[in-house]
Amino acid sequence: MVVGDLDAEEKNITKILISIICLYGNDGLPLENLNDEFQTYCGFAIPYKKFGAESLRSWILTLPDIYLVLDNQNKEVLIQQSQKSTHIKQLILKQKSKYTCKRKSYDCYNKKYEKRQKKFDLDDLPEGSFLHTSINNRCINDSERFDKFHQLECMLPLLYKHQALGDDFFLDIADTKLGYYVPAMGPKECGLCTEGQTISGLTAKVKKAVHLAPRVVVMIGFQDLLWGQNVNNMIYDLRQLIIELKKKNTRVTLITLIPSPKLPKLKRLDTRMDIFNKAILDYACENELKCNVIDMNTIFLLEAESFRRDFDRFSKVAKNDPYKVFSDYGRKTFLSAIKSCLKKQIEAGH
């Protein structure tokens, strides 16, 4: 079939389609977007049924100079090949005024995008994503206000006006529930929450910290249990951590440890956790180093008891993410409890 075989209306619509396809260059126009693009230009849908076709696709296959091919993602796209290609690309200028088109040409943009593709690897970006033209704006990047931003970033993640300090538990919550950035590659960390962090390791970071929030909430010791640390050493290290936090003139809230699927079910570990948690509870009435305390262990025990289930309900974890220590139900229970407790503390003036 040639263009001359079409009636006047079908011939005119074909030329418009070719012009639209030309705007997309070598990438081709996705078939699923064709009708929307045409309607943007003309204000009405493609009347393919008027030309005796059962579907838009079957009608497109009868048109000259328009080819339906598969792209690298196995999606059907339309391309145009003709000796008149150069001339047809200019038709869009006339059609814009005829059909009150407001869409701007992508020819120049496509050329710039192709150059960027050579310089940047965009394979991991969603389809349709592009780089900002202001990405290398030195005037903004050199601004002193970024110093303040860095200061605030060091005090993340935040849990109801408290800076969270700890290990995998807080990191898991920050990543999956609070939307904080946790690097996919390299050490997993967010502020002073780090995967596999010990009590002494956190103490060292607190000593070096230039900025610390006026309120902090601390949950630490899980890694020490995993590594078989002596419970007396854990209690001593916790005291050193609290001393350093008090030196920073910050209000401290301690959280007792809870069972996790990552912690082997061994009686000696349960005993050590119980002793360590009791040492944490003692800081609620400590004269010199008094702290707020949230007994999360008891909260989880009561939660399991009220539903007549044991901690197996918390044992479903993502196998490919070894730093995750919660099931989704466990995360929701933990986050709901800690927010309620911290809110009550602030309202009570503690």
Side-chain angles (χ1 to χ4, degrees), residues 46-74:
I46 301 172
Y48 58 88
K49 291 184 179 179
K50 186 177 181 180
F51 307 132
E54 294 183 357
S55 66
L56 177 59
R57 186 180 186 279
S58 62
W59 178 70
I60 288 293
L61 293 175
T62 68
L63 300 181
D65 301 325
I66 295 178
Y67 298 87
L68 193 61
V69 298
L70 296 177
D71 63 7
N72 56 5
Q73 295 182 347
N74 241 17

Side-chain angles (χ1 to χ4, degrees), residues 20-30 67 69-72 75 77-81 85 89 106-107 110-111 113-114 117:
I20 295 173
I21 294 170
C22 285
L23 293 178
Y24 282 78
N26 297 331
D27 294 332
L29 168 62
Y67 298 87
V69 298
L70 296 177
D71 63 7
N72 56 5
K75 293 183 179 180
V77 297
L78 297 167
I79 62 171
Q80 185 273 335
Q81 295 292 334
S85 294
K89 287 180 182 178
Y106 286 95
D107 287 345
N110 283 340
K111 291 179 181 178
Y113 177 62
E114 288 173 2
Q117 277 187 314

Side-chain angles (χ1 to χ4, degrees), residues 6-21:
L6 309 176
D7 62 41
E9 183 179 4
E10 194 172 5
K11 180 179 179 180
N12 189 37
I13 289 178
T14 301
K15 289 182 178 180
I16 296 172
L17 292 178
I18 292 175
S19 301
I20 295 173
I21 294 170

Side-chain angles (χ1 to χ4, degrees), residues 164-329:
L165 311 181
D167 50 25
D168 306 50
F169 282 95
F170 276 146
L171 190 64
D172 190 347
I173 291 292
D175 184 12
T176 58
K177 290 299 179 185
L178 303 181
Y180 286 104
Y181 171 69
V182 176
M185 305 296 292
K188 290 186 178 294
E189 58 185 1
C190 181
L192 294 183
C193 295
T194 306
E195 175 190 5
Q197 184 160 241
T198 62
I199 305 172
S200 60
L202 177 57
T203 304
K205 288 185 178 180
V206 169
K207 286 181 179 180
K208 296 178 181 179
V210 178
H211 305 291
L212 207 63
R215 299 186 185 96
V216 298
V217 55
V218 183
M219 185 174 181
I220 193 71
F222 179 69
Q223 192 63 39
D224 296 80
L225 284 176
L226 280 177
W227 285 0
Q229 177 73 282
N230 184 287
V231 70
N232 291 324
N233 292 339
M234 292 176 61
I235 293 173
Y236 172 80
D237 289 344
L238 178 64
R239 189 170 187 83
Q240 296 305 118
L241 172 61
I242 295 172
I243 290 172
E244 292 300 325
L245 288 171
K246 292 291 184 177
K247 288 180 181 178
K248 300 286 185 177
N249 193 28
T250 185
R251 186 173 295 171
V252 181
T253 297
L254 301 177
I255 299 181
T256 57
L257 298 183
I258 62 175
S260 165
K262 299 299 181 184
L263 194 65
K265 293 184 178 181
L266 300 174
K267 187 174 181 180
R268 67 174 184 274
L269 292 180
D270 291 339
T271 302
R272 289 174 184 172
M273 181 186 290
D274 186 53
I275 295 172
F276 183 69
N277 282 339
K278 288 179 179 177
I280 292 176
L281 294 174
D282 287 342
Y283 283 96
C285 54
E286 167 81 30
N287 292 326
E288 182 184 357
L289 301 173
K290 191 171 184 178
C291 301
N292 297 325
V293 176
I294 299 175
D295 190 1
M296 191 64 68
N297 186 273
T298 297
I299 292 172
F300 264 57
L301 284 172
L302 293 175
E303 173 71 11
E305 181 180 324
S306 63
F307 284 91
R308 297 183 180 178
R309 295 184 183 181
D310 56 21
F311 284 108
D312 288 341
R313 73 185 305 159
F314 307 120
S315 65
K316 295 179 180 179
V317 295
K319 294 181 180 179
N320 295 330
D321 295 303
Y323 82 96
K324 296 187 184 298
V325 290
F326 285 119
S327 69
D328 191 57
Y329 184 85

